[in-house]
Amino acid sequence: MKYIEKFQYITHDIPHLSHIEQVQLACEAGAKWIQYRCLSKTDEELLQDINAIAEICDDWGTTLIVTNHVHLNGKADIQGFHIEDMNADFTVLRKLVGNDITLGGSANTLENLIRLASEGADYAGFGPYAVTETKPNDYPLLDLEGYQQVIRELKEKGIDLPVLAVGGVKIYNVEALMQTGVYGIAVSGAVNFADDFIEAYQDFYSLVKESAVN
């Protein structure tokens, strides 16, 4: 099984910090996993960002995942991709990128998760937990009971897929969410918009690790 970090940090288009600056700060804070999420640039601009970010990640021993943009596979030092399209065919994607590349997907229902697992995804971001302005969508929010029920049903079906809670997660949500049995948590805004980026990252990281039940 591939290495999947329990606390995943996602970059975002924000006015006060570039993606590269976000990654530098996250790595200085001890990040083990970066998801570069930029849907606003050309391929040339994306590769400029990704190459710079890959150097930073390499210096710190950090895994670099890119949101979508699978067509960039092999053009930069990318360890994996996170696919937000919940209808994407992961069987096709796996053939496209090969077995060494990490593939994660977004999910909002138990059925989504079962399909991701059956098609070879390595992990899933399951949400949204709460309202988030980082990634606007119309999917229904998932409360604690929803997470707990889904994790229980996956176990009953013998499906071993790392599921991370994502979408509007705040530091005060971490303990309760981890107690539902989710594998981990992914955040963006809660760190990006904190008064102290590094402190916020480290607080999240510590609490996720301390609260993990699996």
Side-chain angles (χ1 to χ4, degrees):
M1 180 179 288
K2 294 187 180 72
Y3 161 73
I4 307 296
E5 171 58 33
K6 287 184 177 294
F7 181 55
Q8 301 183 3
Y9 168 71
I10 307 169
T11 72
H12 189 65
D13 287 335
I14 49 178
H16 64 288
L17 286 174
S18 71
H19 288 270
I20 296 171
E21 289 170 329
Q22 291 170 52
V23 170
Q24 181 66 46
L25 284 170
C27 286
E28 288 177 10
K32 304 301 181 187
W33 184 286
I34 299 287
Q35 183 182 327
Y36 170 71
R37 183 180 188 275
C38 182
L39 310 178
S40 63
K41 297 185 178 183
T42 65
D43 282 0
E44 183 178 354
E45 292 170 331
L46 288 169
L47 285 171
Q48 286 179 350
D49 264 9
I50 292 169
N51 282 321
I53 287 169
E55 284 191 27
I56 298 170
C57 288
D58 187 55
D59 287 344
W60 291 88
T62 303
T63 297
L64 172 57
I65 305 294
V66 171
T67 305
N68 302 336
H69 305 309
V70 177
H71 62 287
L72 298 180
N73 185 44
K75 297 183 178 180
D77 187 12
I78 300 168
Q79 282 81 58
F81 295 90
H82 182 94
I83 310 303
E84 294 185 334
D85 179 3
M86 295 188 195
N87 296 311
D89 188 330
F90 273 69
T91 304
V92 171
L93 289 170
R94 176 58 71 196
K95 289 179 180 177
L96 183 67
V97 302
N99 291 325
D100 293 337
I101 293 292
T102 299
L103 273 180
S106 295
N108 180 254
T109 66
L110 174 63
E111 289 71 28
N112 291 154
L113 293 172
I114 293 172
R115 188 176 69 81
L116 284 172
S118 69
E119 293 184 358
D122 296 304
Y123 73 93
F126 190 51
Y129 169 69
V131 175
T132 171
E133 295 180 4
T134 304
K135 181 184 169 186
N137 60 57
D138 297 323
Y139 295 108
L141 301 181
L142 300 165
D143 58 19
L144 291 172
E145 186 177 336
Y147 280 94
Q148 197 167 32
Q149 180 178 343
V150 163
I151 297 302
R152 183 172 61 248
E153 291 191 41
L154 288 176
K155 287 183 178 179
E156 289 174 355
K157 295 177 183 298
I159 296 173
D160 185 19
L161 177 71
V163 175
L164 291 96
V166 64
V169 178
K170 303 289 193 264
I171 189 74
Y172 51 79
N173 303 134
V174 170
E175 289 184 87
L177 273 170
M178 293 301 292
Q179 290 302 307
T180 67
V182 296
Y183 179 84
I185 287 173
V187 304
S188 182
V191 171
N192 284 335
F193 296 107
D195 291 336
D196 188 317
F197 185 111
I198 290 179
E199 182 180 14
Y201 180 93
Q202 292 176 338
D203 286 346
F204 262 101
Y205 181 86
S206 297
L207 197 51
V208 168
K209 297 290 183 173
E210 292 167 5
S211 306
V213 295
N214 56 22

